[in-house]
Amino acid sequence: GAGVSQSPSNKVTEKGKDVELRCDPISGHTALYWYRQSLGQGLEFLIYFQGNSAPDKSGLPSDRFSAERTGGSVSTLTIQRTQQEDSAVYLCASSSVSGSSYEQYFGPGTRLTVT
Amino acid sequence: AQKITQTQPGMFVQEKEAVTLDCTYDTSDPSYGLFWYKQPSSGEMIFLIYQGSYDQQNATEGRYSLNFQKARKSANLVISASQLGDSAMYFCAMREHTGRRALTFGSGTRLQVQP
């Protein structure tokens, strides 16, 4: 079946502009996660959606970052007034909440470059 | 406080030999899961293996096994019979079953398999 998809794969934007990154999770997965990976670093949690529950936004680095998930499926991560330190790969993952492992399946990521 | 520690930024191994990648973790949650992911140069995150905190036996998946020592809070990944295609970044991650459901990642180990 189809995996997690993300778009765009690459985004170059000027400092101060807003960007939207999209994630389409695996069909039937109710949990969706956004992570950020700076160059040569591990993954940093940003936000987590589970079904109709309020999202866990505890990882968002500033109020310039927001995300929504429409209809329990597609999610959009928005970064307003981008800064150079926002340059990173943004990874989306989804998981089922059945079973014991809650294994997360990752998308290919969006590489964001802020110039 | 750092919850996942990977102390080996880089490792070399000869093809066909076994290699152990170290991971230690810290949590007060009695119920948690430990994961290993592989990230090749293409950037995708590939799930390798999972160990639950209550699992009695060490997890194995093909050439991958997880050496789980609960009292020492370590979850080392063992790759047997290394192949050139195993060259990649390897990340250890943990998910606590209470509180945040997202993964907390270590900083990764870059493995290079030499012919």
Side-chain angles (χ1 to χ4, degrees):
Chain A
V4 178
S5 60
Q6 292 185 245
S7 61
S9 55
N10 281 284
K11 176 72 176 179
V12 180
T13 190
E14 292 180 353
K15 177 182 173 182
K17 296 287 179 75
D18 298 351
V19 295
E20 286 190 351
L21 312 180
R22 176 189 167 105
C23 172
D24 201 341
I26 292 173
S27 177
H29 279 187
T30 57
L32 186 148
Y33 312 79
W34 283 98
Y35 296 89
R36 178 170 71 174
Q37 186 176 28
S38 300
L39 186 63
Q41 302 296 313
L43 277 70
E44 171 192 14
F45 165 72
L46 296 177
I47 188 168
Y48 160 60
F49 295 90
Q50 170 51 45
N52 295 320
S53 302
D56 177 355
K57 304 179 182 180
S58 59
L60 295 178
S62 78
D63 59 8
R64 297 186 295 103
F65 288 73
S66 63
E68 63 177 19
R69 188 178 185 192
T70 54
S73 181
V74 172
S75 176
T76 302
L77 177 69
T78 301
I79 308 173
Q80 296 178 312
R81 305 181 303 282
T82 51
Q83 303 294 313
Q84 288 186 330
E85 60 262 29
D86 299 334
S87 295
V89 176
Y90 289 81
L91 290 156
C92 174
S94 71
S95 72
S96 167
V97 293
S98 61
S100 61
S101 71
Y102 298 82
E103 173 192 334
Q104 294 182 24
Y105 295 84
F106 282 81
T110 294
R111 182 175 299 277
L112 175 65
T113 303
V114 182
T115 62
Chain B
Q2 189 169 4
K3 291 195 170 187
I4 297 287
T5 303
Q6 295 181 252
T7 58
Q8 305 156 313
M11 290 280 287
F12 290 90
V13 65
Q14 290 294 122
E15 196 177 6
K16 300 180 184 177
E17 294 189 348
V19 63
T20 298
L21 306 184
D22 294 341
C23 173
T24 58
Y25 61 92
D26 184 30
T27 180
S28 57
D29 191 337
S31 181
Y32 52 90
L34 296 157
F35 301 77
W36 278 90
Y37 281 85
K38 172 184 179 181
Q39 188 177 43
S41 56
S42 58
E44 62 191 305
M45 293 288 287
I46 302 169
F47 167 75
L48 296 178
I49 196 166
Y50 166 80
Q51 178 85 43
S53 59
Y54 292 119
D55 292 343
Q56 295 296 314
Q57 293 188 322
N58 287 341
T60 61
E61 289 286 349
R63 295 186 298 111
Y64 304 107
S65 60
L66 200 152
N67 184 0
F68 181 46
Q69 298 187 41
K70 193 170 183 177
R72 296 180 59 186
K73 293 189 174 180
S74 75
N76 299 339
L77 176 70
V78 181
I79 305 174
S80 63
S82 297
Q83 302 172 356
L84 295 178
D86 294 335
S87 295
M89 282 290 288
Y90 289 81
F91 291 98
C92 179
M94 177 177 66
R95 185 182 63 84
E96 294 165 328
H97 288 189
T98 58
R100 176 182 292 180
R101 296 301 183 97
L103 293 170
T104 299
F105 284 84
S107 56
T109 295
R110 181 170 296 282
L111 177 67
Q112 295 188 54
V113 180
Q114 297 176 319

